[in-house]
Amino acid sequence: MNNRTILFCAVAAMLSVSCGEKPYGAIPTPQQLEWQDMEMNMFCHFGPNTFTGREWGDGTEPEDIFNPTELDCRQWARTAKAAGFKGIIITAKHHDGFCLWPNPAAQHTVAQSSWRGGEGDVLRELSDACREEGLKFGIYISPWDRNDPHYGTPEYNEVFAQTLSNALSSYGPVFEQWFDGACGEGPNGRRQEYDWELFHEAVFSNQPQAVVFSNVGPGCRWVGNEEGSTGETCWATFTPSLYGATHEQLPGDYGTYLNQGDAGGEYWIPAETDVSIRPGWFWKESETARLKSVDELLKIYYESVGRNSLLLLNVPPDNRGLIPRADSIRLMEFRAALDRIFSSDLGTGAQMRRTRDSWTLTLRESASFNRVVLSERIALGQRISEFNVEALVGGEWKEIARGTTIGRKRILLVEDTEASAVRVNVTGSLARPLLKGVSIYYDDVYRAAERVRSGGDVHPAGESIVLDLGAVRDVAGIQYTPIYRGEGGVITSFRLEISDNGSDWALVKEDIFQNIVNNPVRCEVPFQARGRYIKLTPTATSNGESYGLSSFEVLL
Ligand code: FUL
């Protein structure tokens, strides 16, 4: 057999696995399939805002403000690799127009700054570092530009296309081109009619394989929020014209439909969930205390990767040009949690049998699990629209979960279950359902937290916070995160009470939050109690007048 025959046999064997099935509806390109399999990428917001503490620079910042004294993109890449990310996307040009590379089409770039004598190039250093670490390299470039004098005139389209061509032809393969849809010009601001055909031509003539992100694709779509949450129903298929969309412009309140996509939609445009590990997108010293916890990151993972989306997690380098130690430690904790949960499939060695639209996994011996992971053969289209999962517990089938879409990966959080078999019944499908895999795991790390006032607030010193869990439940503790936008004092001592009915309270604990004034980070108070309402009453605050509440969470 020569090489070509071996290759032919291998391909024939692979195809026969799909049992002669024909694709249904819109299907992914090979690049989109590969992109979806990346699961988690790292976003790096870096630029003048890193030095001014702003989220949106106005474009008047002097070039010299960009001055990372210890820039080391290899440290970013090593951190990303160790955390399990498969690629890095860098804000090569944010809304302030400053280019992190010497872009000949602009006058507001690293070349005009005194950083490294005008010879520095962040894209060069990061693309090299990604290559060395085996990571893919992606570029964010904002069409909205608050610096470029052409913005708002037809000439800008030409300038922007040159900018794209330059960035995309100078640093090797680019796996994703990220077009930010934001524009905050306001009613009297400049208006730019973007020439998307020209922009796409600039991208694809230089990077034919690139997956293009925008509100409406064509490679992948925004998930519709920046909180890290994909719809429980999430189709990779999407029909932008249903919503009157023109390229990246989507009228009205589009969050929901981006979040869910369309069943049987016209195009394959899977969702990408972008969210920051910190409250803001750019690094700020003051936000180090407000890094997302491992539980919050796991929740984001479950609600993005676990709901048929790719997770793009922003980890912003600081003003030295390094990923801060605290963020890096948090990433490693997150990685360790994922490894602990998902490194052993408790269904290994089980037998899988299909009868009509049900798949039964008979375990070698009964196992305890609380996560069920399903996947659909998406290369042939996304089909399943409704299903349930049953477990064989003590000889009886018991429903443990219900859902709508599956897609590339669906992770179901179920109660702790000890069973000898697991059955997935597809009860709705746009075409013959093709389930690819069923696996089960035990997660002993994640503790779901009910959250009150996630937006934060400042409260008068004596005011209690009450959280209603909706039903009497076992409670494992609370978490208090102080400081809301730097306002208000912090709670230094407290009383915690619990109640079944909201009027008869039992004391759970009276205590102090240790070292909270000097280190106002999230404080955890573990305890075991049962009830429906939890009340936190401050008995003292640092300024005697008020307290800031970033969040109050109950651990279940
Ligand atoms: C938004 C931007 O306005 C933010 O600054 C950030 O870049 C985020 C990823 O996208 O639309």
Side-chain angles (χ1 to χ4, degrees):
M1 261 203 255
N2 62 27
N3 280 351
R4 197 175 281 177
T5 329
I6 293 173
L7 184 69
F8 173 78
C9 293
V11 171
M14 269 160 56
L15 289 178
S16 67
V17 173
S18 63
C19 350
E21 280 292 338
K22 289 206 184 66
Y24 167 79
I27 56 166
T29 63
Q31 293 77 37
Q32 286 174 314
L33 263 186
E34 208 178 298
W35 177 88
Q36 285 177 264
D37 280 341
M38 293 173 84
E39 279 205 355
M40 295 206 308
N41 291 324
M42 187 162 100
F43 213 178
C44 287
H45 274 65
F46 189 51
N49 295 339
T50 310
F51 302 85
T52 58
R54 302 174 84 173
E55 280 291 307
W56 280 4
D58 61 14
T60 61
E61 300 79 11
E63 287 86 17
D64 282 355
I65 206 139
F66 182 80
N67 188 21
T69 45
E70 297 169 49
L71 180 80
D72 182 0
C73 294
R74 284 176 178 77
Q75 185 249 9
W76 310 4
R78 280 196 308 272
T79 307
K81 179 82 182 278
F85 295 108
K86 299 291 188 278
I88 301 183
I89 299 179
I90 169 90
T91 51
K93 173 174 90 97
H94 202 250
H95 309 323
D96 55 32
F98 185 78
C99 300
L100 299 186
W101 83 104
N103 174 15
Q107 287 304 310
H108 190 50
T109 80
V110 280
Q112 284 76 42
S113 78
S114 47
W115 175 60
R116 294 190 177 165
E119 299 291 316
D121 182 345
V122 182
L123 298 200
R124 167 80 50 228
E125 187 163 331
L126 183 59
S127 56
D128 286 350
C130 284
R131 209 166 302 121
E132 283 166 27
E133 291 296 334
L135 296 169
K136 293 193 181 187
F137 173 65
I139 293 183
Y140 162 117
I141 300 189
S142 166
W144 180 35
D145 191 315
R146 306 182 82 182
N147 174 273
D148 195 293
H150 305 97
Y151 190 84
T153 72
E155 288 81 63
Y156 178 75
N157 286 329
E158 222 17 81
V159 173
F160 189 64
Q162 283 170 22
T163 293
L164 284 170
S165 288
N166 186 265
L168 294 167
S169 61
S170 310
Y171 303 100
V174 172
F175 81 100
E176 182 170 342
Q177 166 60 45
W178 222 89
F179 286 121
D180 194 327
C183 176
E185 283 289 326
N188 302 319
R190 297 175 296 173
R191 256 187 72 75
Q192 179 72 42
E193 286 298 331
Y194 294 127
D195 185 343
W196 284 100
E197 241 168 77
L198 184 69
F199 300 168
H200 286 170
E201 163 70 21
V203 176
F204 293 121
S205 60
N206 289 294
Q207 298 286 341
Q209 313 290 317
V211 170
V212 171
F213 168 100
S214 82
N215 280 358
V216 293
C220 60
R221 69 174 196 267
W222 185 41
V223 75
N225 64 62
E226 294 181 354
E227 289 148 27
S229 183
T230 310
E232 276 196 80
T233 295
C234 183
W235 294 93
T237 46
F238 187 54
T239 310
S241 63
L242 276 181
Y243 313 103
T246 54
H247 287 286
E248 102 292 12
Q249 312 291 353
L250 275 168
D253 173 15
Y254 44 73
T256 323
Y257 50 76
L258 285 173
N259 207 237
Q260 304 193 351
D262 298 311
E266 197 175 344
Y267 302 102
W268 190 269
I269 314 178
E272 179 179 82
T273 304
D274 60 315
V275 58
S276 185
I277 196 166
R278 288 163 170 254
W281 289 97
F282 286 88
W283 174 85
K284 288 168 206 67
E285 176 88 76
S286 61
E287 292 189 352
T288 304
R290 298 178 62 195
L291 271 176
K292 291 200 166 58
S293 66
V294 172
D295 277 333
E296 284 172 299
L297 293 173
L298 284 174
K299 181 171 194 286
I300 287 170
Y301 180 85
Y302 284 135
E303 293 187 3
S304 55
V305 175
R307 291 184 181 172
N308 190 28
S309 173
L310 182 138
L311 170 59
L312 179 61
L313 183 65
N314 181 60
V315 186
D318 63 15
N319 57 356
R320 297 168 303 168
L322 298 171
I323 305 282
R325 195 177 145 76
D327 302 50
S328 163
I329 291 174
R330 184 55 41 84
L331 284 178
M332 297 313 129
E333 291 169 343
F334 176 43
R335 179 74 256 157
L338 288 175
D339 287 346
R340 182 175 165 95
I341 300 164
F342 293 109
S343 56
S344 75
D345 175 1
L346 302 168
T348 305
Q351 246 189 17
M352 172 82 118
R353 208 160 44 90
R354 176 179 187 166
T355 47
R356 291 176 54 89
D357 292 344
S358 294
W359 282 256
T360 307
L361 193 72
T362 307
L363 306 177
R364 277 198 308 205
E365 53 193 41
S366 69
S368 277
F369 59 91
N370 54 16
R371 302 289 176 258
V372 179
V373 181
L374 307 178
S375 60
E376 211 176 329
R377 201 175 288 284
I378 57 167
L380 296 175
Q382 191 179 344
R383 304 165 176 222
I384 296 169
S385 58
E386 198 181 77
F387 65 91
N388 70 6
V389 181
E390 297 172 297
L392 191 58
V393 180
E396 291 205 9
W397 287 106
K398 185 178 151 213
E399 182 176 278
I400 54 171
R402 255 174 193 282
T404 50
T405 51
I406 294 178
R408 179 188 170 275
K409 187 181 262 193
R410 181 69 200 270
I411 308 179
L412 300 157
L413 278 62
V414 302
E415 296 280 303
D416 284 10
T417 305
E418 165 131 25
S420 53
V422 177
R423 183 159 74 189
V424 181
N425 307 300
V426 174
T427 49
S429 192
L430 307 182
R432 191 174 125 86
L434 297 174
L435 204 66
K436 185 172 166 193
V438 179
S439 41
I440 52 175
Y441 301 90
Y442 192 78
D443 175 352
D444 62 353
V445 184
Y446 176 61
R447 283 180 302 173
E450 298 277 336
R451 167 176 281 235
V452 64
R453 295 175 208 266
S454 55
D457 238 331
V458 177
H459 298 261
E463 194 187 324
S464 304
I465 302 290
V466 178
L467 178 58
D468 178 2
L469 299 175
V472 173
R473 300 177 69 168
D474 287 326
V475 176
I478 61 114
Q479 285 181 347
Y480 162 58
T481 310
I483 306 294
Y484 175 63
R485 291 191 184 148
E487 298 162 26
V490 298
I491 304 176
T492 47
S493 64
F494 63 89
R495 183 168 64 239
L496 271 171
E497 291 156 289
I498 196 158
S499 163
D500 286 351
N501 55 17
S503 45
D504 305 315
W505 295 96
L507 181 68
V508 175
K509 201 161 204 162
E510 271 187 296
D511 208 343
I512 58 165
F513 289 121
Q514 295 167 17
N515 196 30
I516 193 167
V517 175
N518 292 332
N519 192 17
V521 294
R522 172 179 291 104
C523 300
E524 184 171 321
V525 183
F527 57 83
Q528 294 298 329
R530 203 173 151 74
R532 170 172 169 169
Y533 301 89
I534 313 291
K535 180 155 76 180
L536 171 71
T537 306
T539 46
T541 74
S542 56
N543 63 7
E545 288 169 7
S546 63
Y547 63 94
L549 183 89
S550 266
S551 72
F552 172 47
E553 292 156 301
V554 173
L555 305 172
L556 299 172

